[in-house]
Amino acid sequence: MEWSTHEVTNVVTELQDYNVYTTDLPLQEAVRRAGAGAHETELSAYGARLGSAETIRMAEEANHFKPELHTFDRQGRRIDRVEFHPSWHGIMRMAREQNLVAQPFADPRPGAWAAYAAGFSMHGQIEAGSQCPNSMTFACIPVLQREPELFAALAPKLYSRTYDARDIPLEQKDSILVGMGMTEKQGGSDVRANTTRAEPLRGEGRGGEYLITGHKWFFSAPMCDAHLVVARTESGPACFYVPRYRPDGTKNAVQIQRLKDKVGNRSNSSSEVEFRGAWGRMIGEEGRGIPTIIEMATFTRLNCVMGSTGLIRQCLVQALHHTRHRSAFGKTLIDQPLMRNVLADMALESEAATLMMMRLTEAFALADEDPLQRAYKRIVTPAAKFWLAKRSVELSGEAMEVFGGNGYMDEGPMGRLYRETPVISIWEGSGNVMALDMIRAISREPQAMHALLEDLAPFCRQDARLSDAATALVAGLRTQGEATEWLARRHAQLLVLLVQARLLGEHAPAAVADAFIASRFDAQWGRVFGMLPDGVAHAAILGRAWTQ
């Protein structure tokens, strides 16, 4: 029998076959300002590839068909192998070929850092789980560069743009990935509570070979070809380079206990492992393992800023696409005044995040000797990681609400985006850890903080709201005792908002900067999207938000 009860109308077709780069005007402008114009052809091509129906399908499949752990082969031999859906490998191959593992270090062209930030944040809009192993590999490079002999052997494989998923000794591979193992059950963020031990095998101290015994509660990602691992020696915590295979070609004694069943980030494998006399080589100074691996974490936190920026952007784009094509009460949703307020507010958040991401990337690209660049790298980075991760959680929920009940269904894109945002707020240092890291960095780098405040001052003096906020920040940072920690989140929030206002004031149209300041420094601002005051130029803000 052929009949139907109704005609399907006013239903929005899924967003696909669009260019992630060329539809993002603030990102394009930032790339050009950073002197990365030579990279735009590649970024545009990658943006088109990311937004294609094929790539979006691969991203969905990589998250639907989760990684599977195989501890033994058919003959009963221990293999500790994680198997992935072919779409995962397709996504990983795209990132590698785009040089999103080592571009700032391997690409000699001007603007490589800016191109990397743009490409990494765009990639995360479509598939965020694959950013984890690529981010850790990127972040290990500056740490391994301090070990000349080891790095000379690894550099060609780290810099390679060929994806190699084979589970074989890294000496035989075309390219490699490097992960991280820090936290244990009893310690979490308190790495000094770790109990995993390393005993000398040949030589002692930097470059020595050790056997490691213990566990890691979070070990990402277990199929990486090597990991940087913290373990204790007689002199205290040390950092070790632990390959998946020993130098003699036999599998190293790192046994995967299980894969984590995560709320989101499902395409990526995170695990618990035990070291049963695993072979490792000490890198960095003995007893200085935590500062050694924290240097790696400094770079992964920059990647977290890029990841949150990408997720914020994709949530905005999905909301704009939906509201342009869905009608209610006689108008398209985007023409409804209150909805325009919500969307414009989200657009402000996205552009502010993009400018923050690109400014931090600039600081990482420049020499540490400049106090202002050190301030952005050491002080603003943890504050930005704290703030943007929190804002992405809030904004993803708001964007889901734009879709109504359809947004809450896993058939659409918003469920995965919503589940993906909280992990960035947790991994590589929770919100509290980031806020406290900012405070510690200020105490260690007073000259850098002074340079940052001096840089903000001329702009803040132009507006009483900003001037009052800057004065409050300076006064707050002078607090003593427990109040220093008690107020750390408040100070991080205020610092980031001031920096974002400064960046928007310098680089964005007046309509965007004015609306951001009018809302974020309004005493009535409650962090709920859609609270922009009357008089904001909604049309100008939305007109540049997504040029599709």
Side-chain angles (χ1 to χ4, degrees), residues 223-369:
M223 285 308 293
C224 287
D225 300 284
H227 287 77
L228 300 191
V229 172
V230 175
R232 302 190 69 84
T233 67
E234 293 299 324
S235 301
C239 187
F240 295 87
Y241 166 80
V242 182
R244 183 163 167 77
Y245 288 84
R246 297 186 185 96
D248 64 6
T250 60
K251 187 183 174 300
N252 211 351
V254 181
Q255 294 189 352
I256 305 173
Q257 304 305 300
R258 63 171 175 170
L259 299 185
K260 296 289 192 180
D261 189 11
K262 295 169 291 184
V263 171
N265 202 251
R266 293 175 177 176
S267 65
N268 174 47
S269 63
S270 305
S271 65
E272 301 167 22
V273 301
E274 288 187 348
F275 305 102
R276 297 177 177 266
W279 183 92
R281 183 184 299 278
M282 186 183 292
I283 62 174
E285 298 299 328
E286 187 168 8
R288 297 282 297 167
I290 295 175
T292 299
I293 206 164
I294 286 298
E295 182 64 20
M296 180 178 176
T298 299
F299 285 83
T300 55
R301 288 167 181 171
L302 175 64
N303 287 138
C304 286
V305 169
M306 297 175 190
S308 291
T309 298
L311 290 169
I312 287 171
R313 172 67 187 175
Q314 183 60 201
C315 288
L316 169 65
V317 166
Q318 291 289 343
L320 288 171
H321 172 73
H322 182 80
T323 55
R324 285 180 180 181
H325 296 90
R326 175 81 168 179
S327 297
F329 309 110
K331 295 181 180 178
T332 56
L333 289 177
I334 200 168
D335 291 324
Q336 303 283 357
L338 187 52
M339 180 61 78
R340 290 175 68 79
N341 197 316
V342 172
L343 295 170
D345 206 352
M346 293 166 62
L348 294 177
E349 197 68 37
S350 179
E351 184 156 354
T354 298
L355 295 189
M356 173 69 81
M357 170 186 76
M358 297 301 282
R359 180 61 183 88
L360 292 177
T361 306
E362 176 188 348
F364 275 73
L366 297 174
D368 273 356
E369 286 72 20

Side-chain angles (χ1 to χ4, degrees), residues 195-209:
T195 60
T196 296
R197 296 197 61 80
E199 301 293 336
L201 177 64
R202 277 183 290 273
E204 292 191 40
R206 193 170 198 160
E209 299 176 36

